[in-house]
Amino acid sequence: MLTTRGVCLNCFWGCLQMADEFERGVDAAVLKYVAIVAENMQIAMDVVANSAKSKVGVDTGALKADIKTGVEVDGVEVKGTVGNTLEHAVFHHQGTGIYATDGDGRKTPWGYTDPKTGEKVWTKGSKPNPYLQNAIDEEQGKITKLLGGG
């Protein structure tokens, strides 16, 4: 038995090997956990998207069709997103003019030519339809359960 200052070197090296194996096991477990959370995040985002699709106002169906989801994994951080990419989505969601959320819309009436009828239309704005936020609020219980908090 080789010793240095009363420490068995064979035992010391054995402990180091066990520590390395333990660390590799923990790393593998973390990766599996992150993968499970990412899968559950995608399911949660799909739940929100489906709920939002039932709440969005339908004129042409473009907003409903454009609701997209995504999940990003960066190390052990998992981030889910759900939303629209169409330019007019924010105006539909947050409202415009005097009805705009947080009061940051135009305060005076304005006119535009309706692209469907060609007629001049005067408006004070449109009321918000926060379909994404309403979907998140409505589905919060399911989201919490899917992500391990309930």
Side-chain angles (χ1 to χ4, degrees):
M1 175 185 316
L2 185 59
T3 63
T4 294
R5 296 185 188 187
V7 176
C8 172
L9 292 180
N10 288 335
C11 296
F12 176 74
W13 291 117
C15 287
L16 281 180
Q17 287 175 332
M18 286 176 36
D20 285 345
E21 288 176 33
F22 177 75
E23 187 175 347
R24 283 192 300 275
V26 168
D27 289 346
V30 167
L31 289 176
K32 285 182 182 178
Y33 180 75
V34 169
I36 291 168
V37 171
E39 283 180 33
N40 287 350
M41 179 66 78
Q42 184 60 61
I43 294 168
M45 296 301 95
D46 290 342
V47 165
V48 172
N50 290 333
S51 179
K53 287 177 182 182
S54 73
K55 295 172 183 356
V56 68
V58 177
D59 185 16
T60 66
L63 275 181
K64 184 176 181 176
D66 185 60
I67 295 174
K68 308 281 189 236
T69 64
V71 174
E72 290 181 35
V73 178
D74 183 11
V76 296
E77 183 177 312
V78 178
K79 182 166 75 171
T81 56
V82 60
N84 290 90
T85 59
L86 295 177
E87 187 177 336
H88 70 283
V90 66
F91 304 115
H92 186 78
H93 194 273
Q94 300 299 106
T96 62
I98 64 172
Y99 305 108
T101 305
D102 298 329
D104 58 359
R106 185 175 177 164
K107 305 298 181 227
T108 58
W110 68 95
Y112 66 95
T113 302
D114 187 320
K116 291 180 184 175
T117 65
E119 295 180 15
K120 185 77 169 181
V121 177
W122 287 93
T123 184
K124 294 179 183 177
S126 63
K127 293 183 180 178
N129 175 4
Y131 55 95
L132 291 168
Q133 187 61 55
N134 290 345
I136 291 168
D137 295 346
E138 183 179 289
E139 302 297 345
Q140 193 61 55
K142 289 180 188 174
I143 296 166
T144 300
K145 285 181 182 177
L146 282 164
L147 299 180

